[in-house]
Amino acid sequence: MDQECRRFEPRYFFNNEKIPFRTWNNQTWYTIAEAKVPFHKDVFQKVIERWTKEVHLIIPPVEYAEIINDVEFEINDTDHNESLSIKPVRTILRRLIPKRKDKDEELEELIEYYENVHESRVVYSPIIKSLQEPAEVNIPFYYPKVSCFSYVYAEYKRIYNTDMADYNGLDDNDDQSWLYIEIIPLSSSNILYNSDKMKYAYTQLFKKLFKWCYNTSIGYQKRVHHDLLVPKDLYMLTYKYLKEKYAKELVGNWTEKTDPAKFVFEDIAIASWLISLWKLERQEKCQTRLQSFVDLGCGNGLLTFLLTSEGHEGRGIDVRKRRIWDVFQNKGSKLIVETLQPNIATYSDVDWIIGNHADELVPWIPIIASRSSNNTKFIVIPCCFYALSGSKYTFEKQIISGGKYKAYQEYIHEIIDKCGFIVEYDWLRIPSTKNVAMVGRKRKSNNQDQIDELLHGIGSAIMLRLDLC
């Protein structure tokens, strides 16, 4: 595929007075975007199918879509007679559920799929139940202010009159495939309602549709994969619960100098993932007792607070107290100031050891877990690069092929492996590029010789500061 085909070169028609239109299925449709595309129709169909199932990827304010019904039809040759109304090959009725349920309305939507030899079309129609005027007030803010909109994949190029006002047929000399966005406006006098906002929405949708289709056509694989250890639905449900329960009060009463918009929601996300992981563990083992933990290098103590508030017995340890600790301690959280000597530290009284961006302690946590008990598990989320010696990790004798963060994960992976754990990974849904969780909950061996080899030459009295970067 040559470089020319890879470029996205869209053409937009955002002038209300000169938007090309055509009649299709006895209705007037306005073309607002078109682009030449280097992929086949089946790729377009595959991407649209995913967009239908995972609407939150396309419309972020929507949490999920509830499918009310999904019906496929057999189409006879007579159904393609141009003099008749064209019938869909499939219809889906779904309900869009917004994230902010107390502010935004749900919306039912009809999706219709149309197919013929040279064209694939998907039509989205909001089901407007209210009769308020103007009509656009009946459609939630997150949805286009239209009667219908459509994505069209066509194996031909359309041509227009010179003034762009009228659709003028097909270009038989063009053998390239094309992608279009068409709409039926709420009002013919104001085709692009709230022009600037809608213009931005349509350009982003069109760009995303092209990108997804192109990446699918070349077999693109994501570099990271979320939800490897915790199903997305379970995580999202837990995150929604914790966010609604804690976020507003935490942000409003944040006493640290750090940005609550980052730290509060990031730790709520990590707590949601951990609580979900632990729930699955209890189900697998048929136990009801909530897991216990120690959070080493707990920093502001928020993660410890969230986990203990949800019933998990545990404590957070750090080298110094934070101002917000008083708030959390008054609500029952156990936060302790302590300087740790990791080469002799053990925590046999807890199920899990947590190292959330725990800096110098991250490479030590697998060792501490292996020495604590045969049942002690751990999770580390590496951030800054430190070696077992407590000094900055220098990547000596290591080939860096995927960036330093990936190389540091390989270093931690080697330590975990030598401690006898099977290493598991997950990429957390947090607002940070350092979002890799490395988990040790299953053991293959307990090789003390390999651990001694790791510690050789480091010294017998290592004092590490447990502080967050």
Side-chain angles (χ1 to χ4, degrees), residues 29-55:
W29 290 83
Y30 291 83
T31 301
I32 59 171
E34 68 175 17
K36 185 184 296 185
V37 296
F39 43 81
H40 298 293
K41 184 166 64 173
D42 59 338
V43 170
F44 168 78
Q45 293 167 339
K46 184 176 181 179
V47 170
I48 289 296
E49 181 67 15
R50 187 178 177 195
W51 281 25
T52 298
K53 293 179 178 178
E54 302 181 69
V55 65

Side-chain angles (χ1 to χ4, degrees), residues 255-267:
T255 59
E256 298 294 303
K257 293 181 179 179
T258 52
D259 181 9
K262 177 185 187 299
F263 284 92
V264 169
F265 293 101
E266 180 170 319
D267 278 5

Side-chain angles (χ1 to χ4, degrees), residues 22 30 81 83 86 94 98 138 149 160 173 189 226 261 332 382 468:
R22 65 193 293 251
Y30 291 83
N81 189 322
S83 64
I86 302 172
R94 68 180 182 180
N138 302 310
F149 73 96
Y160 309 98
N173 298 317
S189 62
H226 300 284
L468 293 177

Side-chain angles (χ1 to χ4, degrees), residues 242-342:
L242 294 182
K243 180 181 174 183
E244 291 179 352
K245 184 175 180 180
Y246 297 106
K248 184 177 181 179
E249 182 179 355
L250 286 169
V251 171
N253 297 287
W254 194 250
T255 59
E256 298 294 303
K257 293 181 179 179
T258 52
D259 181 9
K262 177 185 187 299
F263 284 92
V264 169
F265 293 101
E266 180 170 319
D267 278 5
I268 286 177
I270 294 171
S272 301
W273 184 87
L274 270 171
I275 289 171
S276 299
L277 182 72
W278 291 346
K279 180 178 181 179
L280 294 173
E281 183 183 53
R282 293 195 304 275
Q283 291 175 348
E284 180 181 345
K285 295 183 177 181
C286 299
Q287 68 180 41
T288 57
R289 182 184 64 84
L290 298 184
Q291 292 86 339
S292 58
F293 70 93
V294 59
D295 183 2
L296 299 180
C298 65
N300 57 42
L302 177 53
L303 181 59
T304 299
F305 165 73
L306 292 168
L307 295 175
T308 55
S309 296
E310 291 304 305
H312 291 273
E313 183 180 348
R315 59 192 183 274
I317 300 175
D318 204 287
V319 71
R320 66 182 177 89
K321 181 179 179 178
R322 307 300 201 273
R323 283 183 294 181
I324 203 166
W325 277 22
D326 289 334
V327 175
F328 297 150
Q329 287 172 328
N330 290 337
K331 295 184 177 182
S333 294
K334 187 180 294 185
L335 299 168
I336 303 167
V337 175
E338 181 182 316
T339 301
L340 185 70
Q341 194 169 337

Side-chain angles (χ1 to χ4, degrees), residues 131-258:
L131 299 178
Q132 293 185 64
E133 293 292 343
E136 59 264 19
V137 303
N138 302 310
I139 300 177
F141 86 96
Y142 55 78
Y143 197 89
K145 300 298 188 286
V146 294
S147 292
C148 308
F149 73 96
S150 177
Y151 301 119
V152 184
Y153 177 95
E155 295 175 349
Y156 53 78
K157 183 184 186 303
R158 298 173 185 168
I159 54 177
Y160 309 98
N161 287 339
T162 306
D163 62 1
M164 301 303 300
D166 298 301
Y167 167 71
N168 200 40
L170 307 179
D171 185 350
D172 294 329
N173 298 317
D174 187 287
D175 59 358
Q176 184 73 44
S177 297
W178 288 74
L179 200 60
Y180 300 92
I181 293 182
E182 296 181 352
I183 65 170
I184 298 178
L186 292 169
S187 168
S188 58
S189 62
N190 188 14
I191 297 172
L192 286 173
Y193 169 79
N194 194 1
S195 181
D196 290 341
K197 184 176 179 180
M198 295 308 298
K199 182 189 300 185
Y200 175 80
Y202 287 130
T203 54
Q204 292 303 305
L205 279 172
F206 204 43
K207 181 179 179 180
K208 184 176 289 189
L209 181 58
F210 179 92
K211 179 181 177 181
W212 282 43
C213 288
Y214 176 72
N215 286 340
T216 300
S217 71
I218 62 174
Y220 170 78
Q221 298 291 327
K222 292 179 66 177
R223 289 184 297 171
V224 300
H225 296 274
H226 300 284
D227 318 311
L228 298 179
L229 303 182
V230 174
K232 183 178 179 180
D233 290 346
L234 174 59
Y235 164 79
M236 293 299 294
L237 188 65
T238 308
Y239 178 78
K240 174 179 175 294
Y241 162 74
L242 294 182
K243 180 181 174 183
E244 291 179 352
K245 184 175 180 180
Y246 297 106
K248 184 177 181 179
E249 182 179 355
L250 286 169
V251 171
N253 297 287
W254 194 250
T255 59
E256 298 294 303
K257 293 181 179 179
T258 52

Side-chain angles (χ1 to χ4, degrees), residues 367-379:
I367 298 171
I368 295 171
S370 69
R371 289 175 166 177
S372 293
S373 78
N374 291 331
N375 298 315
T376 306
K377 310 171 190 69
F378 72 87
I379 169 180

